[in-house]
Amino acid sequence: MVGKRCTRCVLPEFEPDIRVDAEGVCSVCRDQDARAALDRDAGPLESDFVRLLEKYRGKGKYDCLVMCSGGKDSTASLYFMKRRYRMNPLAFTFDLGFETEEALANVSRATEALDVDLITHKSRSMLGLFRRILETDKRVVICHLCSISYMRLTFETASRYGIRLVIAGWTKGQTARMDDATPGRYSSNAPEYVSMARATREFVATLRKDPEYGDVPATMEEVVKRSRRSRCIVQSPHWYLPEATESHVEMLTRELGWQAPKRSYPAGSTNCSLNFLSSALSLKHYGFTHYHVEMSKLIRLGLMSRDEALRRLEPDFGDVDLVDLAAQCGCSAPAEILAS
Ligand SMILES: [Zn+2]
């Protein structure tokens, strides 16, 4: 299904958004070359992050809200906020009913070891939306729609606790910097995301008169805009630290008893089992997932090798039953939808 793939990163050709030229290099890598030639900024330093944290320290019961899914990146964020930066965080987990036991156990062990308060928001309210996506075979990426709603819920929770700093586990491959220092930096207009973002927007537009889902936000920009009213920002320590997040695994295992999930997509990363279904459909509709976009950025930054990315992105779902996952969303006709 995938035709040409960039020989530098792992993005496939996806007309008209991503083109691979005669030398085998994609348009996103070419754009990056052009920008790098102009950009003399070495990127943010950890000292910038520390300075930013001081603005939020000691303002209330908690200094920050940490989005913690139990994956390595968000668990590392929680660890750093507490131990490295001596902040007083509140941990926040969102569970649609698909979080793996391993992920939830990681959250529980980490918050206990670090003596951090934890809020777990359990809700199955989005399953009806996922069912609609599946039954109508829309090209909406489940993870994309979910991440937008998760972000809104996170801002609402932070606001309820009077917290203005949200900390995520996003890597440099997910540099959607939504801070006040770079207003408007966050954008779903990047060529890698433009088609996925359009599909989500068009789907959400069909929900506007629906009493149950009428207020679902259509874009991350919309959520960020709403959050500005409560002057809440999102940051990730991984944007400021020089090393790849992979290098924190040993420390997390030793200090917090963190365990990698036995099976995940991409390998060694994720925590929500619905992610398998979302990734399978994203591969079917686009030939790539948001993980291909993230890892391609990490490759360009020299933080991951292309071989490592290809190995981890190999769509080997083993005994994961995609039809059963669809059925758990209430979708009764998934077999043909899942067929590529
Ligand atoms: Zn490329």
Side-chain angles (χ1 to χ4, degrees), residues 6-11 18 24-30 296 300:
C6 179
T7 52
R8 280 202 214 162
C9 71
V10 289
L11 292 175
I18 305 169
V25 179
C26 78
S27 43
V28 180
C29 282
R30 291 293 186 205
S296 289
R300 288 181 211 113

